[in-house]
Each structure stands twice: as structure tokens, then as C-alpha cells.
Amino acid sequence: MGKVKKQQKLAAMKRRINLKDQRIQKKDRLGKKRKKKDVQNMTVRELPQASSAMFFKYNTQLGPPYHILVDTNFINFSIKNKLDIVQSMMDCLYAKCIPYITDCVMAELEKLGSKYRVALRIAKDERFQRLPCLHKGTYADDCLVQRITQHKCYIIATCDKDLKRRIRKIPGVPIMFLQQRRYTIERMPDAFGAPKT
């Protein structure tokens, strides 16, 4: 078979009105002039200051003993998978771990009722340290996000997808979660228990 020859289309050019046409008014003949931006009226953008603990992507405040903020669903999933929280954290990080529970997480566990009384009993263990909350409301996700933006020394232990997505936007905060019946950690430099991807 032969090649199909493309024929050149004649008179396919877009028609333009001549600038000297009588239909064009005088104000349209003059080109629109761009206004120069006034230096005095420029808006100032305020960006959040980067933490002094961050060295490139490495957080220098993280080190043994690790301080781990525990979320409500992390305790529930640990019970379902029959894991001892403190011992499994030490197995994941190969170092001493201090789990912290905020007042909001405790209030959330108490609201869940008698079905989660085992999780509440585990959270009241003396190995867990309590962190008092000074803000209004008892929404634990906002409390945890606010605490890690102020202090970059914590690792967040959660299985909540929405909370993980919010934490990933904050640089230098590792996330601990359950995977294949053991704890794994994400975004940690030289992480031993990191997920194998």
C-alpha cells in the first residue's frame, strides 16, 4: 500500500481584523498596559518556622529511650493481635521505650464503654506515662497532632489511616503501626523494624 499524501489546506488561517479598521475604537487600539506591583502594598506570607532539631530529613531529637505517643486504636489492635505493648515496642526498636498516653486518649477509651475495658486497664498501667492536656475538647487526633508539631521528640503509635496521613505532612515524626502481627515503624532513620517494601 502506498502512503496517503496530506494535502495542504488553503485559506485555513484565522482571519484578523486590521488595526486600522473603522470598527475598532480608539481605546481598544492602545495595548493594555500592565500595572506595576506596588512594593508597599505587597502581602507578606508567613511560613511555619522549621524545627531546629531537623537536619535535612533526619530528626536529631530521636534517640533511646524512645518516647512513644499511643493512640486509642493502637491499643485495641494490640489486644486483638495479643501483643504486649511495651515489650513489642522494645522488640521493634531494640531500645528502651516509654509509652505516653494523653488525657484525650484516656477520655476516648472511657467513652467507648465496657467493651473496651481491657484497653482502658492496659492504658492505666504504671509503665505508661500520662500527659495532661490543657486544650478544650477531647478529640485525640487533634491533640496528638498538636503535640508533635510543638515537640519533635515523639514517635506516634497509631493504626488510623486518616491520622497517619496528617502526620506524614509533618516532617521528622516517625509512625509506628501494626503489620503482620508485629510492630513496624515508618520514616525512622536506620529503622530496624521498618516495613519491607
Side-chain angles (χ1 to χ4, degrees):
M1 295 186 86
K3 290 183 180 178
V4 178
K5 292 184 179 178
K6 290 184 179 178
Q7 292 182 346
Q8 190 177 16
K9 292 183 180 178
L10 300 171
M13 202 170 91
K14 195 173 184 181
R15 291 186 178 184
R16 285 196 261 168
I17 298 176
N18 192 355
L19 287 173
K20 294 180 181 176
D21 198 334
Q22 294 172 353
R23 292 176 285 180
I24 297 176
Q25 295 177 359
K26 189 174 184 179
K27 63 178 181 178
D28 294 333
R29 282 196 185 128
L30 299 171
K32 292 182 180 177
K33 294 181 181 177
R34 291 184 181 176
K35 293 181 181 177
K36 291 184 180 178
K37 290 183 179 178
D38 191 15
V39 180
Q40 295 174 348
N41 294 337
M42 289 183 71
T43 56
V44 178
R45 287 192 319 163
E46 291 185 19
L47 297 172
Q49 186 177 0
S51 174
S52 60
M54 294 296 292
F55 179 73
F56 295 114
K57 289 185 178 179
Y58 179 70
N59 190 352
T60 55
Q61 287 183 347
L62 290 174
Y66 293 106
H67 306 284
I68 301 171
L69 277 174
V70 181
D71 192 21
T72 310
N73 55 18
F74 187 79
I75 298 170
N76 294 335
F77 278 101
S78 298
I79 293 167
K80 285 180 184 175
N81 289 306
K82 297 177 182 171
L83 293 170
D84 180 31
I85 294 176
V86 179
Q87 187 60 43
S88 299
M89 284 178 180
M90 289 172 142
D91 292 343
C92 177
L93 292 168
Y94 299 126
K96 185 180 178 187
C97 299
I98 304 167
Y100 289 90
I101 289 193
T102 61
D103 289 342
C104 294
V105 173
M106 288 297 284
E108 207 171 79
L109 280 168
E110 289 168 0
K111 281 181 186 176
L112 290 172
S114 62
K115 197 174 182 181
Y116 296 95
R117 67 180 178 274
V118 178
L120 186 62
R121 191 177 301 148
I122 288 172
K124 287 182 179 176
D125 188 8
E126 66 271 356
R127 294 182 293 177
F128 287 74
Q129 290 193 8
R130 289 285 297 270
L131 291 173
C133 294
L134 302 173
H135 56 82
K136 294 181 180 178
T138 57
Y139 188 56
D141 290 2
D142 289 341
C143 175
L144 293 174
V145 169
Q146 178 190 0
R147 200 169 283 274
I148 59 172
T149 48
Q150 290 172 351
H151 312 286
K152 297 276 200 246
C153 62
Y154 294 112
I155 297 170
I156 292 286
T158 185
C159 296
D160 188 11
K161 288 182 180 178
D162 296 329
L163 182 58
K164 277 195 212 174
R165 197 174 297 129
R166 284 176 69 181
I167 293 168
R168 284 185 189 119
K169 293 176 184 173
I170 304 166
V173 181
I175 304 167
M176 184 180 280
F177 59 96
L178 267 134
Q179 187 179 44
Q180 296 174 356
R181 292 186 175 270
R182 68 186 202 104
Y183 293 164
T184 55
I185 194 154
E186 157 187 322
R187 296 174 65 196
M188 180 90 167
D190 304 329
F192 299 110
K196 286 145 181 83
T197 53

